[in-house]
Amino acid sequence: LLMRKLRENTHMEAEIKPNGDVEVEGHLVGQLNGFRFTSDTKGETPEAKAANAAAMKSLAGEIEKRAGRLSASANTDFILARDAVIRWQGDPVAKLSAGDDALKPRIILLADEQLTGPARDSVAARLERWIANHIAIVLKPLVEMSGDQTLEGMARGVGFRLIEALGNIDRREIADDIQGLSQD
């Protein structure tokens, strides 16, 4: 059927299943995870090229819809996995990378070139808002300490080291500094 439609130069229908499977005329051609498409059709055959072209046409609209849904998603639709990947409804959509400030990581979108323009900007903005909110909740003491202008001297130094280590530092490393702090 696929070959006949290709020979007749007929428009081929592509469908994206709820699980991310992408089918062209009932044949599985790949998988859409978040904003990335992985093709199952290998090679340079005319059939593979035609199936991928039909899939790409459908993916453009689907990716735009997903971008809109992600932008309107609740904070509970996102998770930060141990491998620094942000998942939206289970699909990987971004990865965190070190930024200039330990409490403000950079977000690297995991997306194909079909996610462009305003849709890409809205996805990036939503993910940045989510990670800022997530950090503000999970690392609240560190966020407050980083903005505390009343810390001086040794206390400021200890605070800086704690922030840089994201709150996880061996007490022995800062024992002398802690000893030097006043009760206040």
Side-chain angles (χ1 to χ4, degrees):
L1 179 66
L2 193 60
M3 278 303 293
R4 188 176 76 222
K5 285 205 174 219
L6 181 60
R7 266 182 266 138
E8 294 170 0
N9 204 14
T10 307
H11 174 71
M12 291 189 280
E13 291 294 321
E15 181 182 2
I16 299 156
K17 302 284 187 179
N19 68 353
D21 285 351
V22 179
E23 294 182 354
V24 173
E25 297 296 329
H27 298 343
L28 181 68
V29 295
Q31 180 78 25
L32 181 63
N33 290 311
F35 298 104
R36 283 191 166 168
F37 174 68
T38 306
S39 175
D40 281 350
T41 57
K42 305 287 189 250
E44 297 295 316
T45 65
E47 300 86 14
K49 287 181 180 180
N52 279 332
M56 290 302 166
K57 286 179 185 174
S58 287
L59 288 176
E62 176 64 19
I63 286 176
E64 187 93 13
K65 287 179 199 170
R66 285 184 179 203
R69 287 194 313 266
L70 181 142
S71 296
S73 289
N75 284 342
T76 55
D77 289 343
F78 300 96
I79 63 162
L80 178 59
R82 290 179 184 246
D83 58 358
V85 172
I86 298 173
R87 294 182 178 275
W88 169 63
Q89 298 178 341
D91 287 333
V93 292
K95 186 169 179 86
L96 294 183
S97 176
D100 293 336
D101 182 336
L103 296 176
K104 294 180 181 161
R106 288 182 353 167
I107 292 178
I108 300 167
L109 293 180
L110 301 177
D112 290 337
E113 61 276 356
Q114 284 95 345
L115 182 63
T116 61
R120 185 180 185 87
D121 295 343
S122 69
V123 166
R126 179 64 183 107
L127 291 172
E128 286 172 6
R129 281 193 320 273
W130 179 80
I131 196 62
N133 181 65
H134 186 68
I135 288 170
I137 292 168
V138 174
L139 300 176
K140 183 178 181 187
L142 295 179
V143 171
E144 289 174 351
M145 191 183 310
S146 72
D148 189 347
Q149 298 301 316
T150 63
L151 290 177
E152 296 177 349
M154 191 68 68
R156 188 168 191 77
V158 169
F160 178 78
R161 289 184 67 187
L162 279 169
I163 292 165
E164 287 296 306
L166 296 175
N168 188 14
I169 194 165
D170 189 331
R171 174 77 181 237
R172 287 174 281 176
E173 288 181 32
I174 57 172
D176 291 339
D177 294 343
I178 298 291
Q179 288 284 326
L181 294 176
S182 69
Q183 270 314 115
D184 291 339

